[in-house]
Amino acid sequence: PNGLSSMMIDEEYYMSIVVPAYICFCFGALVVKREGKMPDLMVRENPDFIIFLLVAVVIGKILQRLPGFGVVGVLLDHLLICAVVYSLFTPYRIFALILALYQMGSVIVGSLAIGMFHDLLLQGFWFGSFFLYRIKASRLTVMIFLAVAISTVSVCQFVKRTYRAQATADVVYNVETFYALAEEKISTPHVSSYDEDFWIRFNQGWHIAHVIFYMDRTGDYKYGETILDTFSSVLLPRFLAPNKRNAGGRENMETMTFYRLKETTSMNISYVGEGYGNFGKTGCWIFMICIGMALAGLEKLVYFLHEKYGFFIFFMPAILLFCIRAENDLLTAFSWAFRMFLISSLIIY
């Protein structure tokens, strides 16, 4: 098959790389998996801590409008999901409902404005997870929630290409357009080329396939270059390392695939793609074990700090926001997590 979203390599070869990589990732996560029950999250002391979170969010929105402070502003702005999660476990039920409606509404409007749904899916996942835990949902309720979530993801994936071509700055028009496209797709039973493209793009498999295709033909493996760049980019400010890599994946796509991105396009190669681009098949599997251990270790650290100091679990949606994203890489995930962890610690202490 031809085109950007084509798999480029045959299914058997692709699965022989990706399935073991996923198993390795799960193995690594299980090695350092946290033992024990979920701690009690009900807020019996300091329910007004939410005020600090909301003040930080307001400061973030202001900083985003100031030159040179955009990154800090974005980080602080993402604390809104933490405030929503925290409010679920306070006595202020009406306030929690209003805050949740505002937060999810703003994410939906923002996603429709740019035709990208990453934030909606990720923040919806975190809110849904904590909400189901808060109401002590039964297994049936959880299964229904998962079915609705998968259906929502599927609809977004089916219509987003057509929707992006029609989206405007008009919020009402965007909502009406998205609804019309979704209704048309749901009511149309036949399979189209868009449906075939959907299954390829659903798990971002084509990103990985492009990396495998490029590396197998060029042999231009990076041998840990992007991993070393991650440490320098996370630990050193840009004035000390002016040539350090930028998070977001553009450099990965342009150095590990034959594809060249447009200036307005943002894509990444995923953990599997980064592992294969650096070390090939076997090295990718070892890399995925390390990624699983790192992410599970980060989660374990959050639980440990919560048990010792409190509050940290409520920051998990912000700290791990990019860590669980399918279209991702080491630099994007851990640079975000490191910065958000510092901000969370400063607010808590």
Side-chain angles (χ1 to χ4, degrees), residues 207 210-212 214-215 252-260 269:
H207 292 218
H210 271 258
V211 175
I212 297 171
Y214 176 86
M215 291 301 170
N252 289 334
M253 287 292 294
E254 296 186 350
T255 58
M256 297 190 199
T257 75
F258 287 111
Y259 186 68
R260 296 296 174 265
I269 57 176

Side-chain angles (χ1 to χ4, degrees), residues 147-283:
V148 172
I150 293 172
S151 299
T152 303
V153 173
S154 301
V155 169
C156 291
Q157 184 64 45
F158 269 126
V159 306
K160 71 178 183 181
R161 177 183 291 185
T162 306
Y163 171 77
R164 285 173 180 172
Q166 301 180 31
T168 68
D170 188 330
V171 175
V172 175
Y173 174 82
N174 288 343
V175 172
E176 292 176 345
T177 300
F178 185 87
Y179 178 81
L181 291 172
E183 185 179 37
E184 179 185 0
K185 174 53 62 179
I186 293 172
S187 62
T188 304
H190 70 275
V191 177
S192 68
S193 60
Y194 283 111
D195 300 334
E196 296 171 0
D197 178 68
F198 163 80
W199 294 112
I200 292 173
R201 293 170 60 93
F202 191 85
N203 69 344
Q204 302 298 333
W206 69 273
H207 292 218
I208 302 170
H210 271 258
V211 175
I212 297 171
F213 182 80
Y214 176 86
M215 291 301 170
D216 286 357
R217 280 153 183 78
T218 65
D220 186 24
Y221 296 101
K222 304 307 175 185
Y223 299 108
E225 178 183 327
T226 65
I227 289 86
L228 293 175
D229 285 345
T230 295
F231 289 106
S232 63
S233 295
V234 169
L235 299 176
L236 297 178
R238 189 163 293 278
F239 70 87
L240 292 179
N243 297 321
K244 71 178 185 177
R245 294 172 70 92
N246 294 311
R250 172 176 292 273
E251 292 180 61
N252 289 334
M253 287 292 294
E254 296 186 350
T255 58
M256 297 190 199
T257 75
F258 287 111
Y259 186 68
R260 296 296 174 265
L261 298 175
K262 298 178 182 178
E263 290 298 324
T264 56
T265 302
S266 175
M267 292 183 186
N268 214 329
I269 57 176
S270 83
Y271 295 129
V272 177
E274 183 173 15
Y276 194 91
N278 276 278
F279 309 112
K281 181 192 289 187
T282 305

Side-chain angles (χ1 to χ4, degrees), residues 131-132 135-148:
F131 176 75
L132 290 173
I135 65 173
K136 296 179 172 61
S138 65
R139 290 185 179 181
L140 177 60
T141 303
V142 173
M143 294 303 295
I144 293 173
F145 176 83
L146 287 175
V148 172

Side-chain angles (χ1 to χ4, degrees), residues 32 292-302:
V32 294
M293 294 176 66
L295 294 182
L298 181 58
E299 180 193 28
K300 196 171 182 178
L301 176 62
V302 170

Side-chain angles (χ1 to χ4, degrees), residues 5 17 79 102 119 303 344:
S5 300
I17 296 171
L79 292 177
Y102 168 77
D119 262 3
Y303 277 99
S344 303

Side-chain angles (χ1 to χ4, degrees), residues 7 13 15 24 42 56 71 102 145 203 219 230 317 329 342 345:
M7 289 300 289
Y13 182 50
M15 298 299 283
C24 288
M42 292 306 298
V71 174
Y102 168 77
F145 176 83
N203 69 344
T230 295
D329 71 328
L342 290 179
S345 299

